[in-house]
Short mmCIF file of all heavy atoms in Angstrom, two decimals:
data_model
loop_
_atom_site.label_atom_id
_atom_site.label_comp_id
_atom_site.label_asym_id
_atom_site.label_seq_id
_atom_site.Cartn_x
_atom_site.Cartn_y
_atom_site.Cartn_z
N ALA A 1006 39.20 108.58 118.45
CA ALA A 1006 38.86 107.20 118.00
C ALA A 1006 37.56 106.66 118.50
O ALA A 1006 36.87 106.03 117.76
CB ALA A 1006 39.98 106.15 118.50
N PHE A 1007 37.15 107.13 119.74
CA PHE A 1007 35.93 106.59 120.38
C PHE A 1007 34.92 107.70 120.42
O PHE A 1007 33.86 107.41 120.96
CB PHE A 1007 36.24 106.03 121.75
CG PHE A 1007 37.22 104.82 121.74
CD1 PHE A 1007 38.42 104.94 122.18
CD2 PHE A 1007 36.71 103.62 121.30
CE1 PHE A 1007 39.37 103.86 122.05
CE2 PHE A 1007 37.50 102.54 121.23
CZ PHE A 1007 38.79 102.63 121.65
N ASP A 1008 35.10 108.86 119.91
CA ASP A 1008 34.19 110.00 120.06
C ASP A 1008 33.77 110.20 121.38
O ASP A 1008 32.54 110.35 121.79
CB ASP A 1008 32.95 109.80 119.18
CG ASP A 1008 32.10 111.01 118.92
OD1 ASP A 1008 32.59 112.10 119.11
OD2 ASP A 1008 30.82 110.85 118.63
N VAL A 1009 34.70 110.19 122.45
CA VAL A 1009 34.51 110.38 123.87
C VAL A 1009 34.46 111.91 124.02
O VAL A 1009 35.46 112.61 123.77
CB VAL A 1009 35.57 109.74 124.59
CG1 VAL A 1009 35.37 110.02 126.09
CG2 VAL A 1009 35.47 108.16 124.51
N ASP A 1010 33.47 112.27 124.95
CA ASP A 1010 33.35 113.70 125.29
C ASP A 1010 34.34 114.00 126.37
O ASP A 1010 34.58 113.19 127.23
CB ASP A 1010 31.94 114.06 125.76
CG ASP A 1010 31.68 115.49 125.92
OD1 ASP A 1010 32.32 116.09 126.88
OD2 ASP A 1010 30.88 116.02 125.20
N HIS A 1011 35.09 115.12 126.26
CA HIS A 1011 36.04 115.43 127.21
C HIS A 1011 35.54 115.68 128.67
O HIS A 1011 36.31 115.52 129.65
CB HIS A 1011 36.78 116.74 126.79
CG HIS A 1011 38.16 116.86 127.31
ND1 HIS A 1011 39.03 118.04 127.16
CD2 HIS A 1011 38.87 116.08 128.23
CE1 HIS A 1011 40.15 117.84 127.84
NE2 HIS A 1011 39.94 116.71 128.49
N SER A 1012 34.21 115.87 128.76
CA SER A 1012 33.70 115.96 130.03
C SER A 1012 33.62 114.77 130.88
O SER A 1012 33.45 114.74 132.12
CB SER A 1012 32.28 116.60 129.94
OG SER A 1012 31.40 115.60 129.21
N LYS A 1013 33.81 113.62 130.23
CA LYS A 1013 33.84 112.30 130.90
C LYS A 1013 35.26 111.75 131.08
O LYS A 1013 35.49 110.64 131.65
CB LYS A 1013 33.08 111.32 130.09
CG LYS A 1013 31.57 111.52 129.85
CD LYS A 1013 31.01 110.44 129.10
CE LYS A 1013 29.44 110.72 128.93
NZ LYS A 1013 28.79 109.59 128.10
N LEU A 1014 36.28 112.52 130.57
CA LEU A 1014 37.61 111.91 130.65
C LEU A 1014 38.60 112.92 131.35
O LEU A 1014 38.62 114.14 131.13
CB LEU A 1014 38.01 111.92 129.23
CG LEU A 1014 39.42 111.28 128.79
CD1 LEU A 1014 39.34 110.49 127.54
CD2 LEU A 1014 40.47 112.39 128.72
N ASN A 1015 39.38 112.28 132.26
CA ASN A 1015 40.38 113.03 133.06
C ASN A 1015 39.79 114.30 133.56
O ASN A 1015 40.37 115.41 133.43
CB ASN A 1015 41.61 113.33 132.06
CG ASN A 1015 42.30 112.13 131.65
OD1 ASN A 1015 41.98 111.03 131.89
ND2 ASN A 1015 43.40 112.38 130.90
N VAL A 1016 38.66 114.12 134.28
CA VAL A 1016 37.95 115.28 134.72
C VAL A 1016 38.66 116.15 135.84
O VAL A 1016 38.42 117.23 136.17
CB VAL A 1016 36.51 114.91 135.27
CG1 VAL A 1016 35.78 114.21 134.22
CG2 VAL A 1016 36.66 113.87 136.49
N ASN A 1017 39.70 115.52 136.48
CA ASN A 1017 40.50 116.08 137.47
C ASN A 1017 41.92 116.43 136.98
O ASN A 1017 42.81 116.65 137.77
CB ASN A 1017 40.56 115.33 138.67
CG ASN A 1017 39.25 115.14 139.45
OD1 ASN A 1017 38.50 116.21 139.57
ND2 ASN A 1017 38.91 113.90 139.76
N GLY A 1018 42.13 116.65 135.66
CA GLY A 1018 43.39 116.76 135.10
C GLY A 1018 44.18 115.49 135.04
O GLY A 1018 43.63 114.44 135.21
N GLY A 1019 45.40 115.60 134.65
CA GLY A 1019 46.26 114.41 134.45
C GLY A 1019 47.73 114.59 134.67
O GLY A 1019 48.20 115.60 135.18
N ALA A 1020 48.57 113.79 133.90
CA ALA A 1020 49.93 113.74 134.10
C ALA A 1020 50.70 115.02 133.52
O ALA A 1020 51.71 115.36 133.86
CB ALA A 1020 50.56 112.49 133.40
N ILE A 1021 49.97 115.65 132.56
CA ILE A 1021 50.53 116.96 131.98
C ILE A 1021 50.62 117.94 133.13
O ILE A 1021 51.71 118.73 133.24
CB ILE A 1021 49.69 117.39 130.80
CG1 ILE A 1021 49.98 116.44 129.57
CG2 ILE A 1021 50.15 118.91 130.48
CD1 ILE A 1021 49.00 116.77 128.39
N ALA A 1022 49.60 117.97 133.96
CA ALA A 1022 49.58 118.99 135.06
C ALA A 1022 50.38 118.47 136.31
O ALA A 1022 51.13 119.19 137.01
CB ALA A 1022 48.10 119.32 135.37
N MET A 1023 50.07 117.15 136.61
CA MET A 1023 50.51 116.68 137.95
C MET A 1023 51.75 115.74 137.88
O MET A 1023 52.47 115.47 138.87
CB MET A 1023 49.42 115.98 138.65
CG MET A 1023 48.29 116.88 139.03
SD MET A 1023 46.87 116.10 139.81
CE MET A 1023 46.09 115.40 138.30
N GLY A 1024 52.12 115.29 136.69
CA GLY A 1024 53.37 114.41 136.58
C GLY A 1024 53.07 112.99 136.38
O GLY A 1024 52.00 112.54 136.67
N HIS A 1025 54.05 112.33 135.83
CA HIS A 1025 53.87 110.88 135.35
C HIS A 1025 55.06 110.18 135.99
O HIS A 1025 56.11 109.85 135.40
CB HIS A 1025 53.87 110.81 133.90
CG HIS A 1025 53.97 109.37 133.29
ND1 HIS A 1025 53.46 108.24 133.94
CD2 HIS A 1025 54.28 109.08 131.97
CE1 HIS A 1025 53.62 107.31 133.11
NE2 HIS A 1025 54.08 107.72 132.03
N PRO A 1026 54.83 109.61 137.24
CA PRO A 1026 55.93 108.66 137.85
C PRO A 1026 55.78 107.38 137.29
O PRO A 1026 55.02 106.65 137.73
CB PRO A 1026 55.57 108.79 139.28
CG PRO A 1026 54.17 109.00 139.36
CD PRO A 1026 53.87 109.81 138.17
N LEU A 1027 56.60 107.14 136.30
CA LEU A 1027 56.38 105.89 135.34
C LEU A 1027 55.67 104.66 136.00
O LEU A 1027 54.74 104.21 135.58
CB LEU A 1027 57.60 105.48 134.68
CG LEU A 1027 58.40 106.72 133.97
CD1 LEU A 1027 59.77 106.18 133.30
CD2 LEU A 1027 57.47 107.33 132.89
N GLY A 1028 56.38 104.14 136.92
CA GLY A 1028 55.94 102.81 137.52
C GLY A 1028 54.75 102.85 138.37
O GLY A 1028 54.15 101.93 138.71
N ALA A 1029 54.35 104.12 138.77
CA ALA A 1029 53.19 104.38 139.82
C ALA A 1029 52.00 104.76 138.98
O ALA A 1029 50.89 104.59 139.56
CB ALA A 1029 53.62 105.35 140.72
N SER A 1030 52.13 105.31 137.82
CA SER A 1030 51.00 106.06 137.10
C SER A 1030 49.77 105.13 136.95
O SER A 1030 48.62 105.62 137.04
CB SER A 1030 51.44 106.59 135.79
OG SER A 1030 52.34 107.67 136.01
N GLY A 1031 49.94 103.93 136.56
CA GLY A 1031 48.86 102.93 136.29
C GLY A 1031 47.97 102.79 137.50
O GLY A 1031 46.74 102.86 137.49
#
Side-chain angles (χ1 to χ4, degrees):
F1007 296 106
D1008 194 25
V1009 170
D1010 192 291
H1011 200 180
S1012 65
K1013 297 181 178 181
L1014 183 146
N1015 295 7
V1016 299
N1017 294 313
I1021 288 173
M1023 294 176 282
H1025 175 19
L1027 306 176
S1030 290

